[in-house]
Amino acid sequence: MLLLRSATASRRTWLAFVSGFFEPVFYLIAMGQGLGSLVGELPGPGGEVISYAAFIAPGLLAASAMNGAVFDSTYNVFFKLKYARLYDAMLATPLGPVDIALGEIGWALIRGGLYATGFLSVMAAFGLLTSPWALLALPAALVVAFAFAAIGMAATSFMRSWQDFDLVTLAVLPMFLFATTFYPLSVYPRWLQLVVECLPLFHAVELMRGLTTGAVHLGLLGHLAYFLVMIALGIAVAARRLNVLLLK
């Protein structure tokens, strides 16, 4: 029911909904096609030589899934929770805090998945999907979106005002710039490599890059496990916090 409500409400703001799809596409054209003509080719995750566009496209795919999930599970949820008081009305129905948490996380997952699906289509149009393993990039992107949506909603439950959302930008933007989206990990000093390897987006980029280039290995399961932990933790915290905020 909550998913249907979110889908219906999004029809009125469809321009804002679809605008998030274009940002990674613009990055791909500007960086991959423009700057890529100067960078040339570089080693891929499996050691094979790939174009710069093929290198950054999986990172932009991961970022697309992240952005769609994070911004829907933070700004939109905060407005519904603190201003619209939508969830208070929902508690008058058979829905409980856990149902609300799962419904909002599910919608954020759908939004992130739609962005990822659209960007995968763009990658295919540019000829950047060169391996059959790329078919698994979409379900992997859904897992990534699910994880970021769960953590995003959990974090939103602690927000007190709109100013607190500066912390969301402070977390998302550095990840986008440093989590090997545009550069290989080897360009950083070792101490910074260790920091980058802790970032969620780094694991998403490595997962997408391995699948889209065909460099599949058991290490990808470790990246996947990272997001399964994020999902479990995010759902548990979000449900607990909503229970405290709505039933106090």
Side-chain angles (χ1 to χ4, degrees):
M1 184 174 73
L2 192 53
L3 292 177
L4 180 60
R5 186 263 169 204
S6 297
T8 302
S10 295
R11 294 178 183 175
R12 301 179 181 179
T13 57
W14 65 270
L15 185 59
F17 186 88
V18 302
S19 63
F21 160 75
F22 293 102
E23 182 180 357
V25 175
F26 293 153
Y27 271 107
L28 179 61
I29 296 173
M31 301 289 287
Q33 304 299 321
L35 183 61
S37 62
L38 301 176
V39 175
E41 298 180 329
L42 68 165
E48 76 285 1
V49 176
I50 59 176
S51 67
Y52 185 63
F55 179 83
I56 68 169
L60 293 172
L61 171 61
S64 182
M66 175 189 71
N67 288 336
V70 165
F71 289 111
D72 202 284
S73 63
T74 53
Y75 293 96
N76 288 347
V77 168
F78 184 78
F79 176 79
K80 296 174 187 176
L81 178 65
K82 297 292 186 179
Y83 292 91
R85 298 291 181 181
L86 182 65
Y87 303 140
D88 295 295
M90 290 182 180
L91 290 178
T93 72
L95 293 176
V98 175
D99 302 310
I100 293 172
L102 291 176
E104 290 293 2
I105 291 171
W107 177 248
L109 161 64
I110 290 173
R111 183 170 182 173
L114 289 174
Y115 286 177
T117 301
F119 191 75
L120 271 173
S121 302
V122 173
M123 289 178 64
F126 278 97
L128 300 176
L129 301 178
T130 58
S131 169
W133 287 103
L135 294 174
L136 296 179
L138 180 57
L142 293 177
V143 173
V144 170
F146 194 175
F148 277 106
I151 291 297
M153 186 164 188
T156 301
S157 67
F158 292 95
M159 299 292 183
R160 298 162 298 178
S161 67
W162 290 111
Q163 285 71 29
D164 289 339
F165 282 90
D166 290 340
L167 299 174
V168 176
T169 303
L170 184 62
V172 170
L173 185 57
M175 277 200 295
F176 177 64
L177 295 176
F178 290 99
T180 69
T181 308
F182 301 105
Y183 314 100
L185 187 64
S186 58
V187 303
Y188 301 124
R190 182 54 187 162
W191 68 268
L192 188 53
Q193 290 181 14
L194 295 175
V195 174
V196 171
E197 288 172 351
C198 295
L199 300 177
L201 187 59
F202 166 78
H203 295 276
V205 172
E206 291 297 299
L207 183 59
M208 299 302 170
R209 193 165 282 149
L211 292 173
T212 56
T213 61
V216 177
H217 51 84
L218 290 178
L220 297 184
L221 295 178
H223 299 306
L224 186 62
Y226 184 100
F227 291 108
L228 295 180
V229 172
M230 282 182 63
I231 291 170
L233 181 63
I235 291 177
V237 173
R240 182 179 179 85
R241 285 289 300 164
L242 284 182
N243 189 68
V244 171
L245 293 172
L246 297 178
L247 300 180
K248 60 182 178 180

